[in-house]
Amino acid sequence: MRGSALRRLYPVLGVIALVVLVEVVGRFELAGKSWPPLTEVLASLGQPGRLDLVLRSLGATAVAAAAGLVLGTVLATAGAALGLLVPVARPGMDRLAAILNAVPLIALAPLLIMTVGREGTPTVIAALGVGFVMFVALSSGLLAASRTHQDVFTVLGAARLTRLRRLQFPAALPYFLDGLALAGPTAVLGATIGEWFGAPSGLGVLIVSAMQNFQIPLLWSAALSATLLSLLAYVLFSRVQVLAARRFA
C-alpha cells in the first residue's frame, strides 16, 4: 500500500520540481530574457482579452487535432486491414506509410494549402502523423493473435474477412490503445505545426504572431497551452488503456 502511494506521489513531485525549475530559470534570467518566470506568464493572462484569445486558439487547435486523430486512425486502420486481406498489397502499404512519414512537412505545406486550403491543412498534417503511429501499432497488433487461434480459424475454413473481424481485430485492441496514447499528442503537435502555414486561428498562429512581435509572455502562454493539451490527450487515452486492460484481462 505504501509503495503504491509513493508511485503515485512521484509524478506529482516531478511536476512540482519542473515548475520550480522553470520559475527559477526565468526569475534569475539564467536563459536570457526570452525565458520569463512562470508567474509572469500566468499573470499576463489577466490582461484584457488575453485569456479569451488563448482559449479561442486552444479550441481551434483542439478541433483540428481531434479531426486529424479520427482521420488518421481511420486511414491507418483501413491500410493495415487491407494489408491482411490482400497480402500482395502489404509491402506497398508499409513503404507508402514510411515515405509519407519521411517527407518533410515544409515540402507538403504548399501542396496541402492548394488542395485542402489553409483551414484544412492543420487537420491533414495531424492526420499524417497520427496515421503513421496507428499504422505501425495496428500492423503489429493484427499479427498478435496466437498461433493456436489462427490454426483453429484455418481448420474451420474461415475467410480472411471473418478472421480479421473475429480474431485479429480483438487481438489488436491493446496495440490500438497503445497507439492512441501516442497518437493523441502527435495530433496536437501536427495541428499546431499545420497552423503555421497560414491557418486563420489556432495555437500555431498565436505562437508565430507572438514570436514575430516579440510578445514573450503570450508566446509562452500559447506554448504551454499546446503542451497541456498534448498532456491531456495522453492522460485520457492512457486511462482508457488501463480501463480496457482491466476489463478484458
Side-chain angles (χ1 to χ4, degrees), residues 164-188:
L164 177 67
R165 183 166 54 91
R166 296 187 177 274
L167 175 63
Q168 292 167 316
F169 270 147
L173 180 60
Y175 295 82
F176 178 80
L177 296 176
D178 284 342
L180 279 181
L182 298 176
T186 300
V188 176

Side-chain angles (χ1 to χ4, degrees), residues 40-135:
E40 181 180 327
V41 174
L42 296 178
S44 70
L45 294 176
Q47 298 179 13
R50 178 65 60 85
L51 182 59
D52 289 340
L53 174 61
V54 173
L55 290 179
R56 285 198 305 270
S57 300
L58 178 64
T61 299
V63 170
L69 179 65
V70 172
L71 178 60
T73 301
V74 170
L75 292 178
T77 303
L82 180 63
L84 285 179
L85 295 175
V86 186
V88 70
R90 182 171 182 180
M93 299 300 299
D94 292 342
R95 293 190 183 95
L96 176 61
I99 291 172
L100 288 177
N101 185 64
V103 175
L105 294 179
I106 193 65
L108 287 176
L111 177 62
L112 293 177
I113 291 172
M114 294 181 63
T115 53
V116 300
R118 297 181 185 275
E119 295 83 357
T121 296
T123 296
V124 175
I125 290 182
L128 288 174
V130 169
F132 181 75
V133 172
M134 294 304 298
F135 180 81

